[in-house]
Amino acid sequence: MKQWWHSAAVYQVYPRSFQDSNSDGIGDLNGIISRLDYLEKLGITIIWLCPVYASPMADNGYDISDYCSIAPEYGTMDDMKSLISAINARGMHLIMDLVLNHTSSAHPWFKEACQSKQNPYRDFYIWRAPDSDGNPPSFNPASHFGGSMWTLDNATGEYYFHQFASAQPDLNWRNPDVQQEAHKIINWWLAKGISGFRLDVIDLLGKDIDAGILANGPQLHKLLRNMNEQCFAGQQAITVGEVWSATPMTAKLMTRPARQELSMLFQFEHILQLHHPEHGKWQPVPFSIAAYKQQLERWQTQIDDGWVAQFWGNHDLPRAVSTFGNSTHWRERSAKALAILQFSLKGTPYIYQGEEIGMTNITLDSIEDYRDIETLNHYQEKRAQGWPHEDIMNGIHQHGRDNARTPMQWNSDANAGFTDGQPWLTVNSNYTSINVGQALVDPNSIYYCYQQLIALRKAWQVLVYGSFQMLAHNELIVFKRQLEGDTALLVINLTDQALQYDSSSDAFNEVVISSVDKRETISGTYQPYEAALFSL
Ligand code: TEU
Ligand code: CA
């Protein structure tokens, strides 16, 4: 069944880095309001706002201490209400980022839970007594942010569980009171006029610690269906789950409309293929077109009427053009090619702030210049293990999360027009040439390529609902989308070498959009990072 959000484009705003309005060097809600015309001009329908709730900011807001108030550095609840109404007045929609797997250790629930083992909030979290040697449970994988997943609370003499920082205790989703409180928070925000949520690490809610299960646990689907029933049934609201564990099979279970669980989800196979088997993202392996084509075909053909988000980057990932494109020799062309590929696929496209102007990774030499808890903990841990500074910094330069969190580059004025204060994180020095002001006056800019693609997807249904057929070809990615009489053919060269394509037929109506000048034939040589979308 067709949904309004199938052909919509979503724009992800990382509030800390988007636009500062009060010179404190930190982005804020009023700054976002001042940039809504820009997003409307791009053709954005939905804005995904990363967390702006009260938080000690150990993990830049993914550690929430009050779900129903706004972090003072971002503004007030009145500012939030102004943002919601300004977005809705434009016919756009706001979805908020909701972190339900864990809270901040500063949340009142956790403070209560730490009072005593008998406290009514104790079972909002996951506690285990030390063993006879004082050790935590044997099931003790490394936390995403380094160290153990168990931290001893000395006051009550038990360990509490946290998959991320010790300042982010995991909630116990087996507890019906936790489920009930979460539903209340969701309904409270829906009543404010937002249109749904991005659900942080939602596949971790079904965890079963004693069985050693973290992602995609046995309770997960029941919890999602119950949440849907209590909060979203009959609403036009949407939910997009962050699901690092997703496979086409589990994605089908989580997003087929009849199952009433999620509207869609982010899957990360194209990201995980970059991770070193032992050292993960910190020793990245080269992007493999062959591996990408295999996972693309599975995801485009095996989820039936399930639905995914199509993305290259977000606030946790290095910049798309630096990771999947080529930010040195072919920055503009490769950014356009990635956008054309993204918008030619089944799935709702998500644009991470700055992708629309081809913002790149940043190389900072001193670890003191970095802010992300994951990066800082990783650096300390590896230095303690004797890793050379340069090796650690190399991994941070390639895959550290701060790459995506440098301030939005609006113009070539000081601090790229992001702030006239001291920015909380260094502005990329290439802002003098890579910025919105420059993009808006260049008809061939990446920005106008995105603007054209966003409009195209709203008009050309074959890109939204067409079938998918991968045409086997060497390093080239070639596939057809078909719907009733319409056929779209995409040929894309995501390498820095010229590649040859011999098409079985050269008949086509037009080149709808291209990352280089429009070509005369389908067959022939495809330049590095040349993408051409044909209407056949
Ligand atoms: O990220 C989930 C998550 O697993 C990532 O942190 C991932 O492990 C890491 O980025 C890989 O490099 C979500 C949020 O998007 C992230 O910003 C939060 O830090 C995390 O959850 C905890 O809430
Ligand atoms: Ca500010």
Side-chain angles (χ1 to χ4, degrees):
M1 186 178 83
K2 295 186 178 181
Q3 296 285 357
W4 62 275
W5 37 270
H6 284 164
S7 55
V10 187
Y11 189 93
Q12 181 190 355
V13 171
Y14 194 70
R16 202 168 197 85
S17 307
F18 192 63
Q19 177 66 67
D20 176 21
S21 71
N22 62 350
S23 309
D24 65 356
I26 298 171
D28 47 54
L29 297 175
N30 285 321
I32 300 170
I33 291 173
S34 73
R35 294 294 183 182
L36 291 180
D37 289 345
Y38 166 75
L39 297 179
E40 187 176 12
K41 175 185 171 74
L42 183 55
I44 296 302
T45 304
I46 302 167
I47 294 171
W48 156 21
L49 178 61
C50 288
V52 292
Y53 318 95
S55 162
M57 299 295 169
D59 185 16
N60 286 353
Y62 284 89
D63 49 317
I64 298 169
S65 54
D66 182 351
Y67 288 86
C68 297
S69 75
I70 301 298
E73 61 259 62
Y74 292 145
T76 65
M77 188 53 81
D78 282 345
D79 297 332
M80 189 68 220
K81 287 173 183 168
S82 304
L83 176 63
I84 294 169
S85 52
I87 289 172
N88 291 344
R90 284 172 168 77
M92 295 160 75
H93 298 266
L94 176 69
I95 64 173
M96 289 179 77
D97 205 323
L98 193 56
V99 185
L100 295 173
N101 176 66
H102 48 271
T103 68
S104 163
S105 50
H107 194 288
W109 295 340
F110 191 71
K111 287 182 176 171
E112 279 294 312
C114 290
Q115 292 304 310
S116 80
K117 294 180 196 171
Q118 292 68 38
N119 186 286
Y121 285 93
R122 187 75 173 181
D123 281 348
F124 267 53
Y125 298 89
I126 298 166
W127 301 88
R128 292 293 183 278
D131 67 12
S132 51
D133 301 327
N135 297 321
S138 53
F139 176 65
N140 185 8
S143 148
H144 285 275
F145 297 159
S148 162
M149 282 195 182
W150 295 100
T151 292
L152 184 64
D153 167 54
N154 292 313
T156 57
E158 287 191 332
Y159 286 94
Y160 68 87
F161 185 71
H162 54 87
Q163 297 185 61
F164 296 92
S166 56
Q168 295 170 289
D170 273 49
L171 282 166
N172 169 18
W173 270 84
R174 292 167 164 264
N175 182 342
D177 296 340
V178 168
Q179 297 169 33
Q180 205 172 22
E181 286 301 322
H183 299 160
K184 274 163 51 180
I185 291 163
I186 288 170
N187 289 326
W188 191 83
W189 276 106
L190 287 175
K192 294 253 171 308
I194 69 170
S195 299
F197 298 92
R198 178 266 188 178
L199 297 168
D200 189 62
V201 288
I202 198 69
D203 56 338
L204 303 183
L205 259 49
K207 74 203 91 169
D208 180 343
I209 305 300
D210 299 322
I213 299 169
L214 294 179
N216 204 25
Q219 302 291 321
L220 182 60
H221 297 293
K222 187 163 134 272
L223 290 171
L224 293 178
R225 261 198 303 281
N226 188 24
M227 184 186 293
N228 197 299
E229 232 168 75
Q230 298 300 319
C231 306
F232 300 110
Q235 299 247 11
Q236 275 300 310
I238 55 174
T239 50
V240 52
E242 179 197 25
V243 184
W244 281 80
S245 67
T247 64
M249 175 50 71
T250 60
K252 231 179 349 186
L253 295 176
M254 295 170 89
T255 64
R256 297 196 72 178
R259 289 180 55 90
Q260 297 289 302
E261 293 190 14
L262 297 173
S263 310
M264 57 187 134
L265 59 75
F266 295 105
Q267 63 89 9
F268 292 84
E269 277 201 39
H270 58 304
I271 304 297
L272 291 167
Q273 70 141 285
L274 302 172
H275 290 193
H276 185 278
E278 189 192 341
H279 299 300
K281 70 180 201 178
W282 301 111
Q283 288 203 359
V285 298
F287 178 54
S288 153
I289 300 281
Y292 176 70
K293 284 168 74 167
Q294 275 175 8
Q295 66 100 3
L296 186 63
E297 181 156 35
R298 281 192 291 112
W299 279 98
Q300 288 288 297
T301 60
Q302 292 181 2
I303 61 171
D304 300 344
D305 58 350
W307 204 258
V308 291
Q310 285 300 343
F311 70 104
W312 289 114
N314 65 30
H315 63 292
D316 292 330
L317 300 176
R319 283 285 176 183
V321 73
S322 302
T323 308
F324 300 101
N326 181 314
S327 58
T328 47
H329 299 96
W330 311 98
R331 186 182 64 83
E332 291 200 285
R333 184 190 286 190
S334 65
K336 290 180 189 174
L338 289 170
I340 292 168
L341 173 51
Q342 176 186 16
F343 277 74
S344 300
L345 294 170
K346 173 181 171 183
T348 298
Y350 284 66
I351 302 167
Y352 177 63
Q353 70 181 46
E355 253 165 27
E356 78 277 18
I357 58 170
M359 279 176 65
T360 70
N361 280 355
I362 188 168
T363 300
L364 299 169
D365 295 332
S366 163
I367 191 62
E368 276 69 47
D369 295 327
Y370 285 88
R371 297 287 175 271
D372 175 27
I373 183 171
E374 183 190 46
T375 290
L376 297 172
N377 289 1
H378 166 71
Y379 182 85
Q380 293 306 329
E381 193 173 81
K382 293 306 170 193
R383 286 299 287 148
Q385 291 170 8
W387 278 32
H389 168 82
E390 293 69 28
D391 291 2
I392 308 171
M393 295 311 286
N394 183 38
I396 292 170
H397 293 156
Q398 290 189 74
H399 273 224
R401 302 195 300 180
D402 281 331
N403 277 309
R405 302 175 180 186
T406 60
M408 181 70 185
Q409 295 166 197
W410 293 105
N411 56 45
S412 54
D413 298 343
N415 295 319
F418 163 70
T419 180
D420 49 22
Q422 179 58 36
W424 73 279
L425 175 63
T426 308
V427 176
N428 197 314
S429 58
N430 62 24
Y431 77 89
T432 49
S433 56
I434 300 174
N435 61 69
V436 166
Q438 173 276 332
L440 291 178
V441 297
D442 170 6
N444 294 318
S445 64
I446 303 163
Y447 175 90
Y448 287 117
C449 178
Y450 270 96
Q451 188 190 58
Q452 191 184 338
L453 286 165
I454 291 168
L456 183 65
R457 248 188 97 81
K458 289 173 187 166
W460 202 20
Q461 295 274 289
V462 65
L463 298 184
V464 186
Y465 299 112
S467 62
F468 178 94
Q469 183 195 357
M470 182 73 86
L471 301 178
H473 279 273
N474 52 18
E475 281 279 277
L476 282 170
I477 300 172
V478 185
F479 59 79
K480 264 185 189 171
R481 304 286 313 276
Q482 288 183 292
L483 181 70
E484 286 120 32
D486 264 351
T487 301
L489 171 73
L490 180 75
V491 183
I492 174 167
N493 175 1
L494 267 189
T495 76
D496 56 5
Q497 303 298 315
L499 295 174
Q500 193 63 26
Y501 179 49
D502 299 320
S503 170
S504 52
S505 145
D506 253 324
F508 67 94
N509 293 327
E510 64 163 320
V511 179
V512 178
I513 190 166
S514 168
S515 62
V516 298
D517 300 333
K518 294 199 173 179
R519 48 185 308 121
E520 301 298 321
T521 62
I522 297 176
S523 298
T525 303
Y526 280 75
Q527 297 306 315
Y529 300 102
E530 177 174 0
L533 180 62
F534 299 89
S535 156
L536 299 190

